[in-house]
Amino acid sequence: MKNWLKRCLSDRPADALEGAPVKAWSLDYPSPEREACFVAAGRVVQGWVLFDDAAFADSAERDAVLSSARVAAGWDAVYELSHPLEVARPDVIERVLQAEPSQHAQRHCGFRFSIPHRVKRFKLWLVIDDQRWPLKDIVIEEEGNTPLPSVLKVLKGRDGWLFLDNDTNGSVDQYAGRLLLTAEGVGAWQHYLQEVERQANLQQAHYAVLVAPSKESVMGPRYHPVAEGSTGPIFQLLALPEASRFVYPVPALTALGNDAFIQTDTHWAPLGALAATKELALALGISAEAIEAQFAADSYHARSVGGDLGNKLEPKQRCQVQSLRSFNYNRCRYFDNGLPNFGRLLVLVNEAALLPVTCLIFGSSSSYSTFNYLCRLFKHVVFVHSAGSLDPELISAVKPEYLVIQTNARFVVQVPKVEQSLHQLIDEKRARLSDDDIVQVNKRQVLVPEDDAVIQSLGLVAWASL
């Protein structure tokens, strides 16, 4: 196939590269000649591409190109959608090639996918192996009051299992292997991971990056209605040399069966959080025997829960989850600014922990269920809800013996920042709080005096006083 690509490039002048391998192509949607087409997931992008038979040396070369060809759509520098030509278009074979379509080699010359409603400008490329040709730059003009379909962010799988759909991170496209990081996105992740290592080395801290697998990656093969792809952003990252400190506990979670994730929620179940914590602790250099002994006496009980997916349905859907009964990290909450999500600062203190040290975590929502276990491994757990973005000033102030980055696999299309001011996050979050939010923050927060000895010893006075 590469020889074919070289021929196409060498046989045509540079200003004709855009159409070099293509006999004809067309974009059905979006088009100024047709009304916009929408589905729940977003705006429909539909069209077809026909290759020039004269460009192929033989049928094997043609078939290799047809199986490799993708149409990519990009509107963000970090990632892009990539869809194969898999839609049958007999109408195109009849009309353009004037041939019988039923057995034609290029019968599946069509593409159809959707992009988010919010996207008003994007590019289309034809991609074959590592070569690409620009097809079209698309700008969506003002569409007036075109009604958009209602969006339900829940995908119903088999046996009552629910999965995320139509989210801003393109979870379904990631799982299907049709959303990929660009070269720029991969490079940005490399820079970020190099900075994580540098910050850890400055403090001589043990460190690891815990990536919570998407629910699809663990439960999907059994219950998801979409087939799993062989590529995706998380696999691109795992292939990087900088990912040597990644903890991606798919095997450990898969071994738990249905106890790994909550049937009606996107997050791992308590037993899944325990499995992930054990893998993280091993990666941080803690002995397996000490880890097992710390949680050996834990007891669990079945509890009915709704979840962030089940609560979106009408009627709401609930399920049974094995929940930890013998311990709750809330008894170790020493300080908590109570802010929802980004900007939350939480300090856990447990004098009976395995190690008399501090673990600093820059994490996301999947971190919370690990606190029941982490605060029994480390005397001090300092948590910042930042989805992995770093605050070097905070790291320098806390001087942790252990540094943990926690993000979710579906978030990797958003590269964390290497310099994210927690002070700024807190200020911005407080400025956006509604009256109802403030009530909830006041109920949740745990405050201490500004001269508190523990907060001072952890170097957190500047942030705890905000």
Side-chain angles (χ1 to χ4, degrees):
M1 193 191 318
K2 291 188 179 296
N3 289 335
W4 174 82
L5 289 172
K6 290 178 180 177
R7 257 199 329 271
C8 285
L9 293 173
S10 61
D11 292 348
R12 292 166 174 80
D15 60 0
L17 287 182
E18 178 176 345
V22 174
K23 179 181 182 66
W25 85 281
S26 182
L27 185 65
D28 303 324
Y29 298 101
S31 169
E33 300 173 2
R34 302 177 184 87
E35 290 187 5
C37 181
F38 294 98
V39 294
R43 181 186 304 277
V44 170
V45 179
Q46 175 182 304
W48 51 268
V49 178
L50 287 174
F51 290 98
D52 185 359
D53 282 338
F56 304 117
D58 52 39
S59 61
E61 191 174 61
R62 178 201 63 205
D63 292 345
V65 170
L66 294 179
S67 64
S68 172
R70 299 288 188 272
V71 170
W75 58 91
D76 187 288
V78 174
Y79 63 89
E80 66 184 17
L81 286 174
S82 180
H83 280 256
L85 300 174
E86 61 182 2
V87 178
R89 292 296 299 264
D91 59 316
V92 174
I93 302 302
E94 289 179 340
R95 176 168 48 87
V96 179
L97 299 182
Q98 298 182 345
E100 162 58 37
S102 60
Q103 300 299 320
H104 198 279
Q106 295 197 61
R107 184 172 185 269
H108 289 85
C109 62
F111 58 89
R112 180 182 170 92
F113 53 89
S114 63
I115 63 173
H117 300 103
R118 60 181 171 80
V119 176
K120 301 298 182 184
R121 182 187 295 267
F122 61 98
K123 297 176 181 289
L124 289 179
W125 294 274
L126 174 68
V127 181
I128 304 172
D129 284 348
D130 56 357
Q131 299 285 340
R132 61 173 55 212
W133 295 266
L135 292 175
K136 192 169 186 178
D137 290 358
I138 298 171
V139 179
I140 305 299
E141 302 296 339
E142 185 61 42
E143 295 171 315
N145 296 319
T146 303
L148 299 178
S150 59
V151 177
L152 181 64
K153 295 190 175 184
V154 179
L155 188 61
K156 294 184 179 181
R158 292 181 287 276
D159 297 343
W161 280 80
L162 305 180
F163 298 91
L164 190 61
D165 194 13
N166 299 324
D167 64 309
T168 55
N169 296 304
S171 291
V172 175
D173 282 322
Q174 287 195 49
Y175 177 63
R178 294 180 175 176
L179 192 154
L180 299 170
L181 295 171
T182 62
E184 183 172 340
V186 171
W189 264 104
Q190 288 180 298
H191 173 66
Y192 167 79
L193 293 173
Q194 291 164 3
E195 183 61 18
V196 170
E197 181 176 26
R198 192 181 76 85
Q199 288 293 335
N201 288 341
L202 285 174
Q203 304 304 324
Q204 297 184 320
H206 303 275
Y207 81 98
V209 180
L210 173 60
V211 181
S214 67
K215 184 179 181 179
E216 294 85 348
S217 296
V218 178
M219 311 307 301
R222 279 177 286 170
Y223 300 118
H224 202 284
V226 176
E228 184 176 15
S230 59
T231 59
I234 185 60
F235 297 111
Q236 291 175 278
L237 294 190
L238 291 172
L240 296 176
E242 290 86 357
S244 61
R245 297 299 181 93
F246 267 36
V247 178
Y248 186 60
V250 169
L253 292 169
T254 301
L256 292 174
N258 289 349
D259 287 331
F261 279 81
I262 302 172
Q263 189 179 42
T264 57
D265 197 282
T266 55
H267 297 91
W268 45 33
L271 287 172
L274 171 59
T277 302
K278 288 180 177 180
E279 295 295 310
L280 172 64
L282 287 172
L284 291 172
I286 303 174
S287 75
E289 294 78 9
I291 297 167
E292 292 296 334
Q294 201 69 3
F295 309 124
D298 285 355
S299 62
Y300 293 79
H301 67 113
R303 186 167 63 92
S304 176
V305 300
D308 58 7
L309 297 175
N311 289 336
K312 290 183 172 70
L313 300 179
E314 190 58 48
K316 298 181 187 304
Q317 182 174 324
R318 302 181 67 83
C319 69
Q320 293 290 312
V321 174
Q322 290 296 314
S323 295
L324 182 62
R325 177 172 56 186
S326 54
F327 185 86
N328 191 310
Y329 76 86
N330 280 301
R331 71 179 69 167
C332 298
R333 279 199 308 153
Y334 190 87
F335 172 85
D336 189 348
N337 67 10
L339 293 177
N341 300 321
F342 283 82
R344 190 171 185 181
L345 175 63
L346 174 67
V347 178
L348 306 176
V349 178
N350 183 8
E351 298 289 345
L354 176 67
L355 301 173
V357 296
T358 297
C359 178
L360 173 59
I361 305 170
F362 291 95
S364 66
S365 57
S366 292
S367 294
Y368 291 90
S369 54
T370 68
F371 293 159
N372 281 325
Y373 311 105
L374 288 173
C375 74
R376 287 185 280 165
L377 295 177
F378 306 105
K379 177 180 178 180
H380 296 132
V381 174
V382 179
F383 170 73
V384 177
H385 195 134
S386 68
S389 289
L390 306 176
D391 185 336
E393 183 181 357
L394 183 75
I395 297 172
S396 178
V398 175
K399 296 178 172 55
E401 288 86 356
Y402 291 83
L403 176 64
V404 171
I405 309 302
Q406 190 279 307
T407 188
N408 294 355
R410 63 187 174 93
F411 294 163
V412 300
V413 293
Q414 303 175 39
V415 185
K417 299 177 181 178
V418 296
E419 292 191 14
Q420 172 65 72
S421 167
L422 176 59
H423 195 299
Q424 181 180 352
L425 274 180
I426 292 173
D427 286 346
E428 290 176 351
K429 179 55 69 71
R430 290 196 183 282
R432 295 195 303 268
L433 293 177
S434 66
D435 290 342
D436 289 341
D437 290 334
I438 293 173
V439 171
Q440 294 303 314
V441 168
N442 291 337
K443 288 181 179 180
R444 188 163 47 231
Q445 66 185 4
V446 177
L447 303 180
V448 295
E450 290 190 9
D451 60 351
D452 179 83
V454 172
I455 297 300
Q456 286 186 340
S457 68
L458 293 172
L460 291 172
V461 173
W463 295 273
S465 61
L466 294 176

